[in-house]
């Protein structure tokens, strides 16, 4: 009986605490602006975004923001965000970084670029600093760029640069 009263007191205390400090539980809700963009328009914008970011390789441009993309597409950043969230299941930064990391992976294993420092690879693919490059690479690949390069060279020793 004491245990039940003890738990009831804890619940009352936490309820009083939440009321006293005007704390509410965070509810998961869908961003309203996502539903404002029709599926057809989302598909059209998806293709245009892919054209600009991937085909025109704007992901390599450090200063190419969601704002600039929105300006180029004649829309606003909320619609860009909605399309990237719904169609690519990512935020703008993660979406762009995915393509940067894919390019970095190619560079890291290319024997023509074996002498490049990580800062140089990072710069080539559009990261503004080495730390963000390492963090994004690790998040996607679960290893550092250096580890990736070394593992690839260990698997394919014939591709090691000849000096």
């Amino acid at each position: 009986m004491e245990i039940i009263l003890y738990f009831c007191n804890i619940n009352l205390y936490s309820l009083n605490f939440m009321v006293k400090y005007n704390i509410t539980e965070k509810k998961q809700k869908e961003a309203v602006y996502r539903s404002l963009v029709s599926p057809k328009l989302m598909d059209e914008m998806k293709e245009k975004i892919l054209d600009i970011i991937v085909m025109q390789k704007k992901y390599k441009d450090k200063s190419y923001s969601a704002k600039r993309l929105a300006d180029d597409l004649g829309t606003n950043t909320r619609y860009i965000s909605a399309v990237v969230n719904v169609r690519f299941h990512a935020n703008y930064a993660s979406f762009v970084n995915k393509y940067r990391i894919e390019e970095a992976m190619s560079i890291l294993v290319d024997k023509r670029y074996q002498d490049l420092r990580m800062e140089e690879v990072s710069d080539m693919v559009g990261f503004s600093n080495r730390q963000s490059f390492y963090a994004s690479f690790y998040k996607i690949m679960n290893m550092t760029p250096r580890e990736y390069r070394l593992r690839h060279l260990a698997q394919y020793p014939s591709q090691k640069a000849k000096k």
Side-chain angles (χ1 to χ4, degrees):
M1 178 106 163
E2 283 181 30
I3 294 173
I4 294 171
L5 286 174
Y6 175 75
F7 284 117
C8 288
N9 286 336
I10 289 175
N11 287 339
L12 284 174
Y13 173 77
S14 61
L15 182 62
N16 285 335
F17 181 82
M18 290 177 72
V19 169
K20 182 178 178 180
Y21 294 101
N22 197 23
I23 299 172
T24 57
E25 290 185 36
K26 186 176 181 182
K27 296 175 184 168
Q28 288 285 20
K29 61 180 182 177
E30 183 92 5
V32 175
Y33 63 88
R34 289 183 190 162
S35 61
L36 296 177
V37 184
S38 72
K40 184 178 183 223
L41 182 58
M42 276 210 186
D43 289 340
E44 290 170 11
M45 286 181 67
K46 174 186 173 184
E47 293 306 315
K48 290 176 182 178
I49 290 170
L50 284 171
D51 177 58
I52 291 172
I53 299 296
V54 181
M55 302 307 290
Q56 296 177 31
K57 297 191 177 200
K58 291 291 188 179
Y59 63 86
K60 289 180 160 190
D61 183 348
K62 294 175 185 71
S63 65
Y64 199 77
S65 63
K67 172 76 173 112
R68 283 189 49 200
L69 177 61
D71 290 344
D72 288 348
L73 292 177
T75 189
N76 62 51
T77 55
R78 284 187 157 225
Y79 285 153
I80 296 295
S81 179
V83 173
V84 171
N85 280 203
V86 172
R87 293 296 190 245
F88 300 107
H89 309 289
N91 61 33
Y92 180 79
S94 297
F95 170 69
V96 171
N97 287 345
K98 175 181 166 268
Y99 293 102
R100 290 175 175 165
I101 296 305
E102 286 176 3
E103 175 121 359
M105 290 167 56
S106 297
I107 292 170
L108 289 168
V109 299
D110 191 322
K111 63 183 176 182
R112 297 172 293 177
Y113 301 113
Q114 290 302 301
D115 293 331
L116 288 181
R117 295 184 340 262
M118 289 302 153
E119 291 83 1
E120 294 168 312
V121 174
S122 168
D123 189 58
M124 285 175 70
V125 298
F127 283 96
S128 56
N129 60 59
R130 191 178 76 100
Q131 290 79 12
S132 58
F133 172 54
Y134 265 73
S136 293
F137 198 98
Y138 195 86
K139 184 179 178 183
I140 292 172
M141 297 302 298
N142 208 29
M143 67 178 82
T144 67
R146 185 176 185 279
E147 289 173 323
Y148 180 81
R149 179 184 265 171
L150 292 173
R151 282 187 188 180
H152 185 82
L153 290 175
Q155 283 181 322
Y156 306 100
S158 63
Q159 290 187 6
K160 192 171 182 176
K162 295 176 176 67
K163 305 225 175 195

